[in-house]
Amino acid sequence: MRILITNDDGIYSPGIASLAKVARKFGQVKLVAPDVEQSSMGHAVTHSRPLSYKKSPIVFEDVEAYRVNGTPADCVAMGIHLWNDVDVVLSGINMGPNLGNSMWHSGTLAAAKQAVLFGIKGIALSTPVGKTEPDFEALEPFVEKTLALLLADKELALYNVNFPEKPTEIIWTRQSVRLYDGTIIPGTDPLGRKHYWFTVSPLEPADEGTDRWLWSMIWCLLRH
């Protein structure tokens, strides 16, 4: 199996190294990722300037790796161009979950969607992050179990996978599509200059059985 891996956190992210390590058990792996972080880039593609790629400054064991001066979707297009007959595109492991409406602006999921637009299975993988980096090594057995399940399906499909902090089993959900309110939060930098953060807050609770609903249930269980 020929596996192309990318992400939106950039070539230096520990999550992509962990995913490449597990993916090597399933076939030949090539890594093409953004040269800088591209979180929340959505499905943007570059058309107003040329793209270029360079060999990765990070060495991945038994994996040919490149960095691209573009978006996650650009990386998938470049990777497929550079490497014929890609069987599957894996995107992640993203530092931060992709649930509900956040999927629409997720660069992680956009890379997997770009694969599907090329007629190739796309799998996005994410996990929450707190004050410290996720324990990717502890997640690797569950990543392997998930890939074994999804790669066995030969149909063209798009999958969005979220690993809680301490996974125990695989549960299928549907996307929570609820209204969100875009909020601008003003602030001031150390030099006294104004700046603004864009954030969102849910206006409606998640429906039972959806990804956001299940995630909130898991979060409560882990904290009690």
Side-chain angles (χ1 to χ4, degrees):
M1 180 173 288
R2 294 162 72 87
I3 303 169
L4 176 64
I5 295 180
T6 191
N7 70 355
D8 74 354
D9 289 324
I11 193 75
Y12 300 97
S13 172
I16 201 170
S18 178
L19 181 55
K21 177 182 175 183
V22 176
R24 284 172 45 225
K25 299 179 181 181
F26 296 91
Q28 185 181 3
V29 173
K30 182 171 287 188
L31 194 154
V32 180
D35 57 358
V36 296
E37 184 177 348
Q38 296 281 339
S39 295
S40 297
M41 186 56 66
H43 209 130
V45 294
T46 302
H47 68 85
S48 58
R49 60 173 174 82
L51 294 172
S52 62
Y53 70 97
K54 297 179 180 179
K55 190 172 182 180
S56 168
I58 306 297
V59 177
F60 299 86
E61 185 178 356
D62 295 329
V63 175
E64 191 176 344
Y66 300 93
R67 53 187 170 129
V68 173
N69 62 335
T71 68
D74 290 335
C75 290
V76 173
M78 285 286 289
I80 292 172
H81 172 76
L82 296 170
W83 196 25
N84 294 325
D85 301 323
V86 172
D87 294 302
V88 63
V89 172
L90 307 181
S91 182
I93 301 169
N94 186 63
M95 292 202 289
N98 279 302
L99 305 163
N101 291 3
S102 68
M103 288 189 232
W104 296 346
H105 55 73
S106 164
T108 304
L109 193 63
K113 289 190 290 182
Q114 183 66 44
V116 176
L117 292 178
F118 279 105
I120 299 169
K121 181 185 297 182
I123 304 174
L125 306 103
S126 305
T127 194
V129 60
K131 295 181 180 180
T132 59
E133 289 182 353
D135 187 349
F136 288 108
E137 185 174 354
L139 283 179
E140 286 173 6
F142 302 98
V143 176
E144 182 176 354
K145 181 180 179 181
T146 301
L147 291 182
L149 173 66
L150 300 183
L151 294 179
D153 181 5
K154 303 304 180 183
E155 297 295 322
L156 177 63
L158 171 66
Y159 296 102
N160 182 48
V161 182
N162 286 278
F163 297 99
E165 184 179 341
K166 297 177 181 179
T168 57
E169 59 182 310
I170 296 174
I171 300 177
W172 296 89
T173 67
R174 67 185 189 277
Q175 182 183 8
S176 172
V177 182
R178 286 291 186 171
L179 293 179
Y180 273 66
D181 183 27
T183 303
I184 297 293
I185 300 178
T188 306
D189 72 11
L191 297 179
R193 297 171 300 194
K194 289 184 177 180
H195 61 205
Y196 303 88
W197 288 94
F198 178 81
T199 187
V200 294
S201 56
L203 297 179
E204 299 174 337
D207 291 331
E208 184 174 342
T210 62
D211 51 3
R212 282 179 51 230
W213 175 85
L214 181 61
W215 198 260
S216 65
M217 298 292 288
I218 293 172
W219 186 262
C220 289
L221 289 173
L222 289 174
R223 294 298 176 266
H224 291 85

